[in-house]
Amino acid sequence: MITNVPSMVDKWLLIIKPYLNDSDNVIVGLDVECLLAKRRGMPNTAAVLQLCIGGECLIFQILHASFIPESLINFFGNKNYKFVGVGIKDDVDKLLRDFSLRVVSFVDLRTLAAIKMSDKALKFAGLKTLALRVGGIEIEKPKKITLSNWSNFPLTLKQVEYACLDAFISFEVGRLLFLL
């Protein structure tokens, strides 16, 4: 689902309800795409929030949303859900700084992979490397899309594909690592 409409976020959260159970093993892939800072030293503003659980992805153009839905605030506030991603602390900090969204339980996939696979070098890996090492999945992350204008409205098809892939691969790598 690609949207900037808060009520559509509510609908997505209803769609994923079957994936949410009372265990503490609910894994959700999370990523944030940002606007590039106009000046050096300025913070990058979060523009697009990507979430994935199972095969269900949400691409929320949060920069263009009229408000943040209460359902999303509650979703991020549930300590039983583990939000996973590469460099996730930066993304979580941006969501808090830019939109007062607090993610209470998150895990960096690099740290998790380094521990679970007994390989300290993975602590410095990117998503592309983790996808290959953990899941045997080869992905492309074109710099042209990585550095594109994430304030586009609507996003281009290539941006949507990239955003979904990042969130899905984060979810899948997290899922596989928690199984180890």
Side-chain angles (χ1 to χ4, degrees):
M1 180 180 292
I2 306 142
T3 190
N4 70 320
V5 179
S7 64
M8 294 303 288
V9 173
D10 295 335
K11 285 186 176 158
W12 183 79
L13 288 167
L14 287 174
I15 290 168
I16 65 161
K17 202 165 184 117
Y19 294 101
L20 309 176
N21 53 40
D22 292 344
S23 80
D24 59 356
N25 292 326
V26 175
I27 309 295
V28 183
L30 182 148
D31 193 30
V32 172
E33 300 302 334
C34 297
L35 304 177
L36 296 177
K38 298 222 188 281
R39 285 183 281 150
R40 210 164 181 47
M42 296 295 293
N44 294 339
T45 302
V48 177
L49 168 65
Q50 303 120 264
L51 296 171
C52 185
I53 185 168
E56 302 293 341
C57 293
L58 171 69
I59 309 304
F60 183 37
Q61 291 192 262
I62 196 167
L63 188 68
H64 296 289
S66 55
F67 65 93
I68 305 300
E70 192 70 30
S71 60
L72 187 60
I73 294 167
N74 294 335
F75 185 60
F76 282 141
N78 190 322
K79 63 180 176 22
N80 293 323
Y81 305 157
K82 288 188 178 38
F83 295 89
V84 298
V86 171
I88 195 167
K89 174 83 168 87
D90 289 341
D91 291 341
V92 165
D93 288 347
K94 287 172 189 162
L95 291 172
L96 182 60
R97 180 194 69 214
D98 298 341
F99 299 100
S100 300
L101 266 173
R102 183 176 307 281
V103 180
V104 298
S105 181
F106 57 92
V107 176
D108 194 307
L109 291 171
R110 299 173 298 189
T111 304
L112 186 61
I115 293 166
K116 294 277 192 162
M117 299 180 79
S118 301
D119 182 350
K120 290 180 184 175
L122 291 175
K123 197 156 175 58
F124 307 99
L127 187 59
K128 192 173 174 177
T129 300
L130 291 175
L132 188 57
R133 289 282 309 277
V134 175
I137 304 165
E138 287 191 47
I139 61 171
E140 292 299 316
K141 292 184 56 96
K143 280 276 189 233
K144 182 178 179 183
I145 305 301
T146 305
L147 301 175
S148 65
N149 181 1
W150 289 98
S151 69
N152 281 343
F153 190 81
L155 294 172
T156 67
L157 179 59
K158 292 287 186 197
Q159 285 176 310
V160 171
E161 289 171 350
Y162 181 100
C164 285
L165 184 66
D166 266 5
F168 174 75
I169 294 296
S170 291
F171 163 78
E172 190 60 16
V173 168
R175 185 185 70 77
L176 292 170
L177 286 171
F178 277 103
L179 290 173
L180 292 179

